[in-house]
DNA sequence: ATTATACATAAGTTAAGTCTTAAACGACCA
DNA sequence: TGGTCGTTTAAGACTTAACTTATGTATAAT
């Protein structure tokens, strides 16, 4: 289906969550958030070989989180934060819990003590 | 270090990102967001065996995203959304990009057309 | 043209993750 | 006390991820 002609694979939602699950990839995003950078430049500040960095960037690219342009023989990567909105949207539905929880914390504590139920 | 005495393993930040990276685990969190539930009840609505669900719950528990109490011979799982704030906090530093981007989109488009540089 | 540079991709290895089935465990039930 | 119910843990097969080294490709420099 997606191998046909020039069809673009739809941005799978899951990929974004998975892409940011890796500390290394989050660091890459962080570095790119200050300025666009070449692969070499990104790899320098890393305890990782250049191909490894290149591979991680490919994953970020597939998730739509970075884009690359050629500049001479360099490839300049740039952050594209937009897909992160997917995560933000997802988080929104949970936000009420930590606001609600803070309000209800006092009573909860009392209640659970009485019930003699232990949460772990 | 963390195996000593009764020390609690510090909540590794990374675990939360990783815990949430799995669609199955996000579904579990979703189910628990409506009400606390037993493992059996969670497994029912899943194309997954009960032990598999139990294992995923263990991962969520290690990330601090759920807690469990015993109720008779059942184990009732409950959402604890608080660790998600870690992700929310992380996202905050990127939020400016998608607000900024919308503002700057018009000029960017013009600029890149002129430069004849393609982003992918 | 040849060589060097910057990067991507391929191939192979090792480690992690995720399922399944089977066994173990703890609480209740007869 | 023995059984069974709900769940966890263990063990193994299998998949996916992530690195390394080696090779390929495009651009630039000489």
């Amino acid at each position: 289906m997606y191998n046909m002609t020039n069809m673009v694979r739809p941005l799978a939602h899951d990929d974004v969550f998975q892409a940011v699950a890796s500390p290394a990839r989050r660091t890459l995003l962080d570095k790119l958030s200050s300025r666009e950078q070449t692969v070499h430049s990104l790899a320098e500040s890393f305890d990782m070989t250049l191909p490894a960095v290149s591979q991680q960037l490919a994953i970020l690219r597939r998730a739509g989180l970075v884009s690359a342009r050629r500049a001479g023989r360099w490839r300049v990567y740039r952050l594209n934060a937009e897909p992160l909105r997917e995560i933000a949207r997802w988080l929104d539905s949970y936000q009420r819990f930590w606001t609600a929880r803070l309000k209800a914390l006092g009573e909860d504590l009392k209640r659970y003590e009485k019930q003699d139920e232990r949460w772990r």
Side-chain angles (χ1 to χ4, degrees), chain A:
Chain A
M1 175 59 168
Y2 301 128
N3 297 338
M4 290 174 62
T5 63
N6 283 328
M7 289 184 74
V8 173
R9 190 172 60 99
L11 255 189
H13 176 86
D14 292 345
D15 293 349
V16 181
F17 281 90
Q18 235 225 327
V20 303
S22 147
R25 287 191 291 265
R26 285 200 304 280
T27 303
L28 285 171
L29 292 178
D30 180 54
K31 286 181 191 304
L32 289 173
S33 73
S34 59
R35 56 185 170 86
E36 55 180 44
Q37 255 167 292
T38 65
V39 181
H40 181 78
S41 155
L42 288 165
E44 249 179 358
S45 50
F46 252 90
D47 187 23
M48 219 189 271
T49 61
L50 195 134
V53 171
S54 181
Q55 285 164 10
Q56 299 293 0
L57 286 169
I59 291 170
L60 291 171
R61 203 170 52 199
R62 261 173 264 137
L65 286 164
V66 302
S67 48
R69 73 182 150 89
R70 198 172 256 302
R73 46 182 151 172
W74 294 280
R75 203 162 272 270
V76 184
Y77 278 82
R78 154 193 266 215
L79 174 69
N80 175 29
E82 206 278 333
L84 293 179
R85 298 181 75 170
E86 193 74 43
I87 300 179
R89 233 189 322 278
W90 179 78
L91 277 179
D92 274 350
S93 54
Y94 289 95
Q95 201 146 20
R96 66 188 170 94
F97 287 103
W98 62 74
T99 52
R101 243 195 112 58
L102 288 176
K103 273 190 290 183
L105 188 60
E107 343 165 5
D108 278 6
L109 280 176
K110 269 182 267 171
R111 187 142 35 85
Y112 293 134
E113 275 164 10
K114 277 195 199 119
Q115 284 185 355
D116 192 31
E117 287 172 348
R118 290 284 188 279
W119 292 82
R120 56 174 177 98

